[in-house]
Amino acid sequence: MRTRTTTAAAAALTTTAVLLLSACGGGSDSAGNDKIAGADTGASASASPTPSASADTIKRPEIKLPGDVKNVFDGGTTGDPVKDAVLADNERMINSIDEAVTVDAKDHPALKFYNKGNALISAASYIQSFYDSGTTWTGETRYFNREVMLKGTTAATMTYCSDETKSYSKDRKTKKVTMSPGDADDYVSYSARMEKNAQGVWQTTNVTSERGAKKCQP
């Protein structure tokens, strides 16, 4: 399973967390100038862009994850173009956070592109917790039971589950992977508030989660 953060760190809504956004991207301001992110030498070569969740005319920042990191999203289309756009930007939001956790870079523009408000601050705290613990993650995480409830034309709520049984903690310096058997805590339930901005991007504004949620377990 991935390195777990404390509830306080995951929920911290402080201005300090916002200031950590550039540092948690890895770059020269990161802890001790160490190379971060699922990335050995030549990590950028092994990284690959995530598949486009949907085609549109919005100029979006590119998101790249290391070759040993994979997110799988079930149920990407519903037949409703608005709901499909919400699903696509939820996928990009998740990938933007995992890029900031696993890839060493001076900045991760996608993080602020797909997150705002409380969601952005919580994401910053979550990302920083990996840097503070000297870990990252590797493997595969699956997202499923993804449902969209529209609230008018510019707001929506998304609920979904994640399965982290095939994702593992990885030491940033030694690259050692801690293999552990899956358990109930590897299944997480999420509820996200999303709002459509002037560019047409469905940004996540707030996220709550429950680790070990029974409704997400097989």
Side-chain angles (χ1 to χ4, degrees):
M1 65 184 68
R2 302 188 188 192
T3 299
R4 297 178 191 163
T5 58
T6 64
T7 301
L13 302 179
T14 63
T15 53
T16 302
V18 175
L19 297 176
L20 293 172
L21 281 168
S22 59
C24 73
S28 58
D29 293 330
S30 296
N33 294 332
D34 291 332
K35 279 291 180 184
I36 309 258
D40 305 319
T41 303
S44 25
S46 64
S48 58
T50 55
S52 175
S54 68
D56 56 37
T57 59
I58 299 171
K59 186 176 181 181
R60 300 174 180 274
E62 185 176 41
I63 301 174
K64 290 186 176 183
L65 297 177
D68 65 339
V69 171
K70 183 179 181 181
N71 286 329
V72 176
F73 298 89
D74 293 351
T77 57
T78 65
D80 181 320
V82 179
K83 288 186 176 181
D84 290 351
V86 174
L87 285 166
D89 281 341
N90 168 260
E91 177 177 334
R92 296 179 177 113
M93 177 275 290
I94 292 169
N95 284 333
S96 76
I97 293 174
D98 283 334
E99 179 191 50
V101 170
T102 62
V103 177
D104 184 27
K106 290 184 67 176
D107 190 24
H108 290 286
L111 194 62
K112 294 181 182 179
F113 196 85
Y114 295 109
N115 296 273
K116 65 178 282 189
N118 288 350
L120 179 60
I121 298 170
S122 293
S125 293
Y126 172 75
I127 295 161
Q128 188 62 34
S129 70
F130 282 87
Y131 287 73
D132 291 344
S133 65
T135 60
T136 179
W137 72 275
T138 184
E140 176 181 302
T141 302
R142 184 172 70 92
Y143 293 87
F144 59 101
N145 291 352
R146 304 170 69 219
E147 297 183 1
V148 179
M149 292 143 282
L150 298 176
K151 309 287 185 179
T153 58
T154 59
T157 299
M158 257 205 74
T159 58
Y160 52 101
C161 294
S162 72
D163 174 358
E164 299 179 1
T165 56
K166 295 181 180 179
S167 58
Y168 308 102
S169 179
K170 179 179 177 181
D171 187 279
R172 288 191 181 279
K173 290 186 178 180
T174 66
K175 311 305 178 187
K176 181 180 178 180
V177 176
T178 302
M179 304 293 289
S180 57
D183 60 29
D185 278 354
D186 285 314
Y187 296 93
V188 189
S189 172
Y190 295 90
S191 178
R193 164 81 176 182
M194 300 178 71
E195 296 177 4
K196 188 177 181 180
N197 68 11
Q199 290 177 274
V201 178
W202 286 90
Q203 293 181 302
T204 300
T205 60
N206 195 64
V207 180
T208 59
S209 63
E210 179 189 354
R211 186 170 287 279
K214 289 185 178 180
K215 67 178 182 180
C216 294
Q217 297 175 36

